[in-house]
């Protein structure tokens, strides 16, 4: 049964693995160990602690397994228009698909499972990279992001609880280690604009990552130590993925998804409340899943327009 489901998902274009739910406690301990070793900034430990939920939900049929699924995800480009100039802005993989794709995957998964009396539900609050690596689906890169041969690092991870039993032979339990190719590379380390990837420890200093400041709701304005030229995306940052030799093919597949005209760009820059936006603009941002980051959009766009590392006008890449 497990084999048939994993093959079915592969035919649909995904890469997937299954593990027994009994490993949950080990995942929790892994993160706890990082904290005990004083590896995590206090704020970050709190963020991870508040985010992760290792309690198995009660359900009619006991949860027995976790499916972890990777779906290929491209870079997306949006064109803004300001003072007669077109400003292309990139959105890294995963952002525009963060909610839609897991729903699609859940449907495919349940097409197979329900025919045999089983079921799967999405679980967002687990450490997905760690599960992907332990399940044998992915490997860590030196940039702390995970990699799969067919997708590079350009994929979204989605996890699902299921009542389908998972035996030892269904799992491909694997070691936590960095890819061999990283030993002689380090391109991602030197390109990180905020020194969040230090090179002397594996885990990034998440409290220095640009993404933390331009994505999460409630994070402070950009601190002074972030150089203006660091900004390179509308949300998130691509500097530790673009130079990676394992992403060479993926970088070609940029999808241009929207054109934001002069009037619309001005409204965003003026930081109008989301509810004040014209319905057509609000719908565009919602379709791109960018409405979720609207709280940072005005300052992110200003920072991008002022950054010398933004894309040259009218260029794809
Ligand atoms: C919080 C979070 C962030 C935080 C913290 C990031 C971090 N490094 O943990 C911030 C805001 C900084 C962030 C940034 C980004 N994120 Co993020 N993030 C998350 C989230 C919600 C939780 C991650 C988490 O649990 N971290 C906890 C840490 C402790 O996990 P970990 O790194 O796997 O930790 C293990 C290893 O470090 C290992 N370890 C410790 N020491 C050592 C030593 C060695 C040698 C080795 C090998 C291992 C090792 O032990 C740790 C625990 O076991 C997940 C979604 C989810 N539900 O998991 C997305 C997620 C990890 N993010 C993702 C992405 C895409 C990004 C960005 C690329 C976004 C962007 N800029 O475009 C950046 C990448 C930054 C980077 N270089 O890591 C994707 C990753 C997809 C992939 N291909 O791997 C995820 C999975 C979202 C998704 N569903 O697809 N993110
Ligand atoms: S996403 Fe950007 S800031 Fe964060 S670790 Fe990667 S290169 Fe550094
Ligand atoms: S850029 Fe080089 S060191 Fe970094 S993840 Fe890619 S291969 Fe590894």
């Amino acid at each position: 049964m497990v084999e048939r489901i994993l093959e079915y998902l592969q035919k649909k274009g995904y890469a997937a693995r299954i593990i027994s739910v009994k490993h949950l406690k080990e995942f929790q301990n892994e993160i706890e160990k990082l904290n005990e070793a004083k590896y995590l900034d206090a704020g970050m430990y709190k963020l991870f602690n508040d985010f992760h939920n290792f309690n198995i939900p009660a359900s009619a049929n006991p949860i027995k397994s976790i499916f972890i699924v990777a779906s290929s995800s491209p870079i997306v480009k949006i064109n803004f228009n300001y003072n007669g100039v077109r400003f292309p802005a990139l959105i890294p993989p995963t952002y525009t698909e963060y909610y839609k794709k897991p729903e699609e995957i859940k449907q495919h998964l349940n097409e197979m499972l329900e025919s045999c009396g089983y079921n799967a539900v999405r679980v967002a609050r687990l450490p997905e990279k760690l599960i992907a690596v332990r399940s044998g689906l992915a490997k860590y890169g030196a940039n702390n992001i995970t990699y799969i041969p067919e997708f590079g690092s350009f994929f979204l991870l989605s996890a699902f609880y299921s009542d389908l039993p998972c035996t030892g032979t269904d799992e491909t339990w694997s070691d936590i280690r960095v890819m061999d190719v990283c030993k002689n590379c380090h391109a991602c380390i030197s390109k990180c604009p905020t020194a969040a990837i230090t090179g002397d420890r594996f885990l990034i200093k998440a409290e220095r990552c640009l993404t933390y400041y331009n994505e999460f709701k409630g994070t402070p304005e950009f601190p002074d130590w972030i150089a203006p030229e660091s900004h390179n995306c509308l949300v998130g940052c691509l500097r530790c993925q673009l130079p990676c030799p394992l992403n060479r093919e993926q970088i070609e597949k940029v999808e241009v998804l929207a054109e934001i005209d002069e009037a619309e760009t001005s409204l965003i820059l003026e930081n109008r409340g989301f509810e004040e936006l014209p319905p057509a603009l609000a719908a565009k941002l919602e379709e791109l899943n960018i409405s979720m980051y609207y709280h940072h959009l005005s300052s992110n766009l200003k920072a991008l327009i002022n950054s010398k590392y933004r894309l040259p006008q009218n260029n794809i890449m």
Side-chain angles (χ1 to χ4, degrees):
M1 177 77 190
V2 165
E3 213 178 310
R4 272 205 296 133
I5 295 176
L6 298 183
E7 266 174 31
Y8 179 74
L9 291 175
Q10 197 180 7
K11 277 196 198 121
K12 295 281 173 198
Y14 308 120
R17 292 284 193 283
I18 189 171
I19 53 166
S20 162
V21 78
K22 69 176 195 250
H23 296 297
L24 271 188
K25 192 75 199 155
E26 292 163 54
F27 298 141
Q28 189 170 10
N29 290 344
E30 288 278 356
I31 307 217
E32 216 31 72
K33 263 191 330 205
L34 293 179
N35 186 46
E36 279 159 17
K38 308 240 179 298
Y39 222 44
L40 296 174
D41 168 87
M44 277 304 139
Y45 176 65
K46 182 171 177 346
L47 189 147
F48 293 146
N49 223 12
D50 292 346
F51 177 78
H52 293 134
N53 182 352
F54 295 97
N55 299 322
I56 302 172
S59 71
N61 298 322
I63 304 291
K64 299 212 170 116
S65 54
I66 304 170
F67 281 96
I68 181 87
V69 184
S71 49
S72 167
S73 184
I75 297 177
V76 163
K77 195 178 85 161
I78 302 184
N79 291 316
F80 289 90
N81 290 276
Y82 180 60
N83 284 348
V85 179
R86 200 181 202 202
F87 287 102
L90 295 183
I91 303 177
T94 75
Y95 285 92
T96 56
E97 295 170 344
Y98 202 80
Y99 291 108
K100 273 189 228 156
K101 200 48 100 177
E103 273 309 304
E104 236 176 82
I105 298 169
K106 190 178 81 181
Q107 276 177 23
H108 290 309
L109 201 48
N110 279 331
E111 275 163 33
M112 292 295 281
L113 285 169
E114 282 170 5
S115 64
C116 306
Y118 297 109
N119 183 262
V121 289
R122 167 108 204 264
V123 45
R125 292 176 173 259
L126 291 179
E128 292 166 336
K129 286 182 293 178
L130 183 60
I131 297 178
V133 169
R134 276 305 203 184
S135 72
L137 175 66
K139 289 204 168 89
Y140 280 110
N143 50 11
N144 200 187
I145 307 174
T146 60
Y147 284 76
I148 293 180
E150 58 266 50
F151 303 146
S153 63
F154 284 14
F155 57 87
L156 175 78
L157 284 172
S158 315
F160 303 87
Y161 279 138
S162 175
D163 50 355
L164 180 74
C166 169
T167 65
T169 52
D170 295 324
E171 290 186 346
T172 43
W173 194 248
S174 304
D175 286 345
I176 302 178
R177 56 181 201 90
V178 180
M179 295 180 294
D180 289 340
V181 63
C182 300
K183 284 183 197 139
N184 301 313
C185 176
H186 312 307
C188 51
I189 301 175
S190 58
K191 289 284 192 256
C192 174
T194 60
I197 313 177
T198 63
D200 57 7
R201 57 179 253 175
F202 172 75
L203 197 69
I204 63 159
K205 291 199 163 177
E207 67 281 9
R208 289 193 67 87
C209 179
L210 210 48
T211 310
Y212 174 63
Y213 294 96
N214 70 19
E215 175 193 311
F216 277 38
K217 202 167 189 172
T219 46
E221 293 282 293
F222 296 123
D224 289 345
W225 51 262
I226 295 183
E229 62 269 25
S230 306
H231 305 284
N232 58 98
C233 287
L234 186 60
V235 59
C237 163
L238 270 168
R239 297 285 298 279
C240 58
Q241 293 185 87
L242 283 185
C244 180
L246 303 178
N247 282 335
R248 238 166 243 152
E249 272 180 41
Q250 322 301 326
I251 285 165
E252 307 293 318
K253 303 175 196 157
V254 178
E255 281 183 15
V256 185
L257 284 193
E259 190 76 33
I260 311 287
D261 68 24
E262 287 264 349
E264 292 173 329
T265 303
S266 296
L267 289 174
I268 294 173
L269 288 171
E270 285 164 20
N271 203 12
R272 294 291 181 90
F274 189 77
E275 57 297 336
E276 284 178 51
L277 299 181
L281 175 57
K284 258 188 241 182
L285 300 179
E286 263 162 11
E287 178 58 26
L288 291 160
N289 194 32
I290 287 302
S291 47
M292 233 191 109
Y293 309 104
Y294 192 72
H295 47 272
H296 280 313
L297 213 58
S298 173
S299 53
N300 286 2
L301 185 57
K302 279 180 203 148
L304 193 59
I305 288 174
N306 291 325
S307 167
K308 68 176 179 184
Y309 284 120
R310 67 175 158 72
L311 290 177
Q313 287 146 25
N314 300 325
N315 270 20
I316 289 280
M317 283 295 294

